[in-house]
């Protein structure tokens, strides 16, 4: 398949300064692609802590199993990521490939294998050619650099049409800290190639017991609120590494008020990265934000928002620049959450089209039609039942999605 | 929009003989379309019983509310269906339109309004122009005929590309009875226009207490196992009318063994109608059957089958004639049902590609590639966990779906 055109919703890569204690690099290991990097490595300063969230798919890849097993120790010294092969549904051989990769990286870095984190993205069902990684790793390790972030953002891409990264400056107890992350993903599973991967590092000093709940809360309000096609990859993961180099005062509980600015910055960074993935949704031409209020609970609002975000009929209507609020009503109703037709209101682009169960008298479609022609679509739903609120993000469903996913493997 | 080409998966309409006690007809009431019928009426002999199942969408149309309220009486004398306007999200005015339609039909037939059943399919959010129906009904009523089934099958179409009907001959207690039905539907909600509707009549004599569980069981194994795009219309309904004209011996419980042939014939008829709807799925070029076995329960198998049936990535792969079993694994895993990667096996077209967590050694793709080029695709999944089985049906996701649903309303 020819390279895909860059998404019209793409954002330029920001400047990616060093994060103290983190060195990144990328190399071409020839795993599947020709003429590009496909292997990324990072090493982390001694004492680095780690948190992770993983796909809920019941058929996870071998690297997901590896990371889940390594996570409880809470200590990380290296990260190895390859693109082109997901090492999913590869049985015993897939497990052995993760063991080999981790052992190779541990030897180079001088750490325990359980301090090495692994991720793979690409074709499913083919055993990872781990020897190619073994061969490439020593040369790659020698090139690791504090300025290697951009190379890493590019090296983990599969069908992504642009590299994705975000950075935030914040503070803990008055001490400046930085949070920086890269992500990849364009469908939940791209054509044969797969997966949303996100790697974030900070120079803050935070124990795993603080890092994990912060990451779980942040992903719940970002990656878990976005959808491209409702499909869930076997390899999705978000890892957060904290090197401790910033020298901030110790924080021992996730509810410490000193953490508030950090948590806010982390949440914003994760949302920025999640939206970059949606902006690169396969075939996407419009970013869709669905705000739900008036639900019986926040969780109910989230489910309603996700039902709208996942509706093929809403997504195709938006692709056609059609302010088809009837399909929004349909999607609300099919969510299974408490909803009452006669208290339901729908706005598009800030214009209330339907209020309390019927069309607003004299509804003028003109401003809504103009809004639909833009690249960012806002849908607001008021269920009129309670105080629950929630937001989800999606992209439109276009011919481009069919082109990318319906082409025969060749 | 120009008329759509007939689905490549279409089936010819069968001969539709009379069902004693049922008269159908169709007329052009000018509700939305020009130059075609859009209003269908039936009347039923006195003593006709009725059963119904309705959309689970929480924002149902006014006619669904009407039918739900009328159903407990179990008695039916007339059916009025219009295409072109769904009478959904129309508030008080929509309710009043159903009252007017039912009163008009009741007056013509000489029955209670609660013995009139109503269905509407078409655009959402516009009040049904019930005066047009009032004007057209007397003339339509005068034309009702035992041979009007085909006209009815055509009159309820919206974006359907072919009319849909099925017939079965069976017996109760040795007395021959007939079951005959018509259906419409092509997406769960078509472009502005909506809905799966199915109307079945039999000359059997069966009380509502028997009819309702039979219909519920039959739809659960047919319409509830099919999907075009995972969206659920606000107007879906299946109604089953029993005129009692066949003169079969009385049956008082749904578990009476004398009912077995009838139940089997009804189930087969409902499945045939449901698959006709899938065959007319918007843009469909391939019918997909997903058989799941080895699940922890039948319900779990059904959920796994539906997760695969609803996966955009599976559906686009099949559109591209790609035997992409990795996406099947992904969809099984995302179903949330118990599944174990290492006991999971997948076959396409009867050829086992992956067994117990890894690719079958020496897997030869040739027969599978040939199968993928055909119009009917079979996927078999063995979860290897228990004895639960279940089947679902879907269609592929093609450019045609985007064309139909992404075109601007004009």
């Amino acid at each position: 398949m020819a390279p895909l055109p860059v998404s019209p919703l793409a954002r330029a890569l920001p400047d990616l300064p060093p994060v103290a204690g983190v060195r990144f690099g990328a190399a071409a290991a020839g795993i599947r692609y020709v003429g590009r990097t496909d292997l990324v490595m990072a090493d982390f300063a001694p004492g680095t802590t780690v948190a992770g969230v993983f796909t809920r798919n019941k058929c996870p890849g071998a690297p997901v199993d590896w990371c889940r097993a390594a996570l409880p120790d809470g200590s990380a010294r290296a990260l190895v990521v390859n693109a082109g092969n997901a090492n999913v549904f590869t049985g015993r051989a897939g497990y052995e490939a993760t063991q080999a990769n981790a052992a190779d990286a541990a030897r180079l870095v001088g750490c325990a294998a359980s301090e090495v984190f692994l991720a793979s993205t690409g074709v499913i069902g083919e055993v990872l050619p781990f020897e190619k990684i073994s061969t490439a790793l020593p040369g790659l390790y020698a090139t690791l650099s504090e300025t290697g972030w951009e190379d890493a953002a590019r090296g983990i891409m599969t069908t992504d049409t642009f590299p994705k990264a975000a950075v935030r400056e914040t503070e803990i107890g008055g001490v400046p800290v930085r949070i920086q992350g890269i992500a990849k993903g364009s469908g939940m599973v791209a054509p044969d190639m797969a997966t949303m991967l996100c790697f974030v590092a900070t120079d803050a000093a935070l124990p795993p017991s603080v890092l994990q709940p912060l990451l779980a809360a942040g992903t719940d309000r970002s990656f878990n609120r976005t959808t491209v096609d409702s499909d869930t990859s076997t390899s999705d993961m978000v890892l957060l590494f904290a090197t401790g180099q910033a020298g901030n005062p110790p924080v021992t509980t996730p509810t410490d008020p000193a953490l508030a600015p950090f948590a806010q910055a982390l949440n914003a960074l994760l949302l920025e990265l999640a939206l970059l993935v949606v902006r690169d949704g396969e075939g996407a031409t419009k970013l869709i934000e669905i705000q739900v209020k008036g639900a019986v609970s926040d969780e109910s609002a989230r489910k309603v928002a996700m039902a709208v975000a996942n509706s093929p009929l809403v997504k195709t209507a938006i692709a056609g620049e059609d302010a088809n609020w009837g399909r929004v009503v349909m999607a609300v109703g099919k969510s299974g959450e408490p909803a009452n037709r006669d208290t339901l209101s729908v706005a598009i682009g800030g214009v209330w089209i339907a209020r309390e169960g019927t069309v607003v008298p004299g509804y003028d479609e003109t401003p809504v039609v103009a809004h639909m022609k833009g690249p960012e679509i806002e849908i607001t739903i008021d269920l009129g039942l309670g105080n629950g609120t929630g937001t989800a993000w999606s992209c439109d469903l276009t011919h481009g999605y069919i082109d990318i996913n319906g082409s025969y493997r060749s």
Side-chain angles (χ1 to χ4, degrees), chain A residues 39-305:
Chain A
L39 182 66
V40 166
M41 184 177 182
D43 75 350
F44 306 106
T48 295
T49 57
V50 61
V53 296
F54 302 97
T55 181
R56 291 173 186 150
N57 195 299
K58 297 285 180 67
C59 299
V64 171
D65 286 346
W66 177 271
C67 290
R68 279 204 174 104
L71 196 65
D73 290 346
S75 171
R77 291 296 311 284
L79 169 70
V80 178
V81 188
N82 73 273
N85 182 313
N87 199 10
V88 168
F89 217 66
T90 45
R92 179 86 200 164
Y95 169 68
E96 288 170 356
T98 59
Q99 284 193 303
N101 283 346
D104 286 337
R107 202 173 306 120
L108 290 167
V109 175
C111 67
S114 64
E115 293 176 300
V116 178
F117 285 75
L118 302 174
S120 296
T121 172
V123 68
I124 289 178
E126 295 179 11
V127 175
L128 182 66
F130 65 89
E131 307 84 351
K132 292 184 178 177
I133 296 175
S134 294
T135 304
L137 269 185
L140 170 54
Y141 179 67
T143 70
L144 297 187
S145 152
E146 284 199 329
T147 60
W149 282 85
E150 179 172 342
D151 289 345
R154 295 185 187 280
I156 62 175
M157 292 166 62
T158 55
T159 53
D160 301 65
T161 71
F162 62 93
K164 302 169 183 71
V167 55
R168 288 290 184 286
E169 311 286 347
T170 180
E171 53 86 15
I172 299 176
V175 175
V177 303
R178 179 171 291 155
I179 317 173
Q180 190 158 287
I182 59 175
K184 64 124 332 203
S186 51
M188 286 299 106
V189 175
D192 292 359
M193 292 144 276
T195 300
M196 192 289 300
L197 298 178
C198 176
F199 307 108
V200 180
T202 175
D203 52 1
L206 293 170
S209 59
V210 169
L211 218 51
Q212 185 66 34
L214 284 179
L215 180 64
T219 51
D220 188 53
R221 301 195 151 270
S222 56
F223 288 103
N224 290 349
R225 301 297 178 100
T226 61
T227 178
V228 168
D229 57 13
S230 82
D231 278 335
T232 306
S233 160
T234 49
S235 306
D236 292 339
M237 70 169 77
V238 182
L239 295 174
L240 169 58
F241 303 94
T243 66
Q245 306 288 299
N248 54 278
V251 176
T252 53
T253 74
T255 53
D256 188 324
L259 267 182
F262 182 88
Q264 193 175 7
L266 177 65
N267 291 346
L269 174 129
L270 290 170
L271 182 57
E272 181 177 342
L273 289 169
L275 294 187
L276 286 172
V277 172
V278 178
R279 286 177 176 275
D280 208 4
E282 291 167 339
T285 66
K286 294 176 193 288
L287 179 70
I288 310 168
E289 178 170 319
I290 300 118
Q291 296 181 3
V292 174
K293 57 185 179 180
V296 295
S297 68
D298 288 353
E299 178 57 18
S300 181
R302 185 188 71 79
K303 287 183 180 168
V304 170

